[in-house]
Amino acid sequence: MRLRFTPYLLVALCLMIGSTKDAYAQSALYNAANNYLKKRADAFMTITGYSLTPDVTTGSLSIRNKDGDNSDLQMISLGGGDRISANFPLYLEGTLAVNRYNPTFSDGIGNSSVTVPVHWNSVTGTGGIGWDFPITDELRFRPIANVMLGHLESDLSIASRVIENRKGVDLQFLNGGRMNSYGLGGSVMLDYENYKPNQEIDVELRYTNIPVQTFDSSTAVQGSADSQSLALWARSRIPTPITLLDRPLRAVFELAHTEFLGDLRGALGFNSLSSVGTGIELDRSASDPIFSRVRVVFRYQFGQNVHGTSIGLAASF
């Protein structure tokens, strides 16, 4: 039996082959986009772990990587903590952080690729409550229970429209991308305070473990992260001969080092960050009982493959 192909059958066959290739390209692009989104969601989940507790090494951090994915990262946080009073050693702390993660989307399908910026912005808040157990007059042991809530919004809907216009692929799963996260964990701290008229010394050694996971989030961006860190922080304040507001102006010297553990270790290309800083502290207790002290500290931060500077502003109540 001999088969004959008519021109109409040949056209239909070509259309079928073309449709199969387009379907394969669309499926490959969809899978590539889904995998990319998942990896970046996992990365951002880990990044939030750097901003869960008051830490001068990550309180203001900006990273620009000109290789690979050309991703930018900016982190800024406001936080602090203290005892209610010396007679009532209930410890309260809180941290509010804003992160901006700026990776790019590249499909890598065919001879040409489509690169689209995908801007992710997150807000996280962490609270802690603890109790001081005195070891000596200057040294205290402080266990802390921590809870964290975070929300992420992205510009993924813009990226999906650009890709759809250029490739004819509808990536609906990118639209309205969002991620909600929460964490329940704790910290243990050794707090040393030695206050004398000629010098005030503060030293804190802290271990933190706050596992973070998503809830009520887009299917493609669900995950978890193991956030752990070990931090050492020290500050010395020395009165100067200068008097302002009827109180001596203090010189401030500061050292800090944080070792990142769990999923945080190596996530941004470094295992630890260190900081050295100096500044001044204005004592306002004689004129303003609300803000008893105001500090400005200039810091130099460094670690594996990273370094930079920052300015910290703090107030004591």
Side-chain angles (χ1 to χ4, degrees):
M1 183 177 179
R2 187 175 181 181
L3 296 178
R4 296 179 61 188
F5 286 89
T6 65
Y8 300 103
L9 184 59
L10 183 59
V11 171
L13 182 61
C14 290
L15 289 175
M16 290 176 61
I17 295 174
S19 299
T20 301
K21 291 182 178 180
D22 290 342
Y24 173 78
Q26 292 182 12
S27 177
L29 178 55
Y30 186 93
N31 292 334
N34 193 34
N35 292 335
Y36 182 91
L37 181 63
K38 176 60 178 172
K39 287 193 298 182
R40 292 304 178 269
D42 290 342
F44 203 94
M45 174 68 73
T46 301
I47 286 170
T48 60
Y50 289 92
S51 306
L52 298 185
T53 59
D55 190 334
V56 299
T57 62
T58 57
S60 178
L61 186 63
S62 178
I63 296 177
R64 179 179 296 273
N65 181 12
K66 296 183 179 180
D67 299 323
D69 294 329
N70 297 316
S71 59
D72 295 334
L73 171 66
Q74 294 88 34
M75 296 190 296
I76 186 170
S77 63
L78 175 66
D82 204 352
R83 293 175 295 168
I84 297 296
S85 69
N87 297 325
F88 186 57
L90 178 68
Y91 174 83
L92 300 175
E93 70 175 16
T95 303
L96 180 66
V98 177
N99 298 333
R100 181 171 176 83
Y101 187 37
N102 229 11
T104 57
F105 180 93
S106 181
D107 62 45
I109 303 298
N111 295 327
S112 62
S113 63
V114 178
T115 300
V116 181
V118 183
H119 301 166
W120 289 2
N121 303 277
S122 77
V123 177
T124 60
T126 308
I129 181 170
W131 191 267
D132 283 0
F133 297 92
I135 299 175
T136 67
D137 292 339
E138 293 83 19
L139 183 64
R140 293 179 293 273
F141 174 71
R142 179 181 296 153
I144 306 169
N146 293 110
V147 59
M148 167 267 186
L149 286 175
H151 180 72
L152 166 72
E153 288 286 353
S154 68
D155 298 337
L156 297 178
S157 58
I158 299 176
S160 66
R161 287 197 298 271
V162 173
I163 295 172
E164 181 178 355
N165 291 336
R166 297 188 185 183
K167 290 292 185 178
V169 178
D170 185 11
L171 301 180
Q172 289 295 331
F173 73 96
L174 287 175
N175 289 321
R178 72 184 192 281
M179 182 170 68
N180 298 311
S181 58
Y182 75 93
L184 297 173
S187 308
V188 288
M189 180 190 299
L190 285 174
D191 181 20
Y192 176 80
E193 294 181 357
N194 187 353
Y195 290 179
K196 296 180 179 179
N198 61 338
Q199 186 178 25
E200 297 180 357
I201 300 176
D202 294 276
V203 181
E204 293 180 357
L205 177 64
R206 175 173 182 156
Y207 169 75
T208 300
N209 187 346
I210 306 178
V212 180
Q213 58 185 350
T214 56
F215 72 97
D216 189 27
S217 303
S218 303
T219 303
V221 289
Q222 294 181 357
S224 61
D226 178 23
S227 172
Q228 300 182 53
S229 63
L230 180 63
L232 176 64
W233 169 85
R235 175 186 292 155
S236 174
R237 292 173 288 195
I238 302 174
T240 67
I242 303 174
T243 300
L244 293 175
L245 301 177
D246 298 326
R247 293 290 187 273
L249 183 69
R250 293 181 176 89
V252 179
F253 304 95
E254 185 183 86
L255 295 172
H257 179 80
T258 302
E259 287 285 337
F260 300 105
L261 309 172
D263 292 339
L264 300 186
R265 194 164 185 82
L268 294 178
F270 49 80
N271 297 330
S272 62
L273 281 177
S274 300
S275 172
V276 294
T278 184
I280 57 174
E281 181 179 85
L282 178 64
D283 191 337
R284 297 170 51 88
S285 59
S287 59
D288 189 348
I290 298 178
F291 297 102
S292 59
R293 296 183 180 186
V294 177
R295 283 186 305 278
V296 178
V297 180
F298 299 86
R299 299 185 178 101
Y300 174 73
Q301 297 159 269
F302 57 94
Q304 299 95 326
N305 307 314
V306 293
H307 62 88
T309 58
S310 66
I311 300 176
L313 178 64
S316 299
F317 298 91

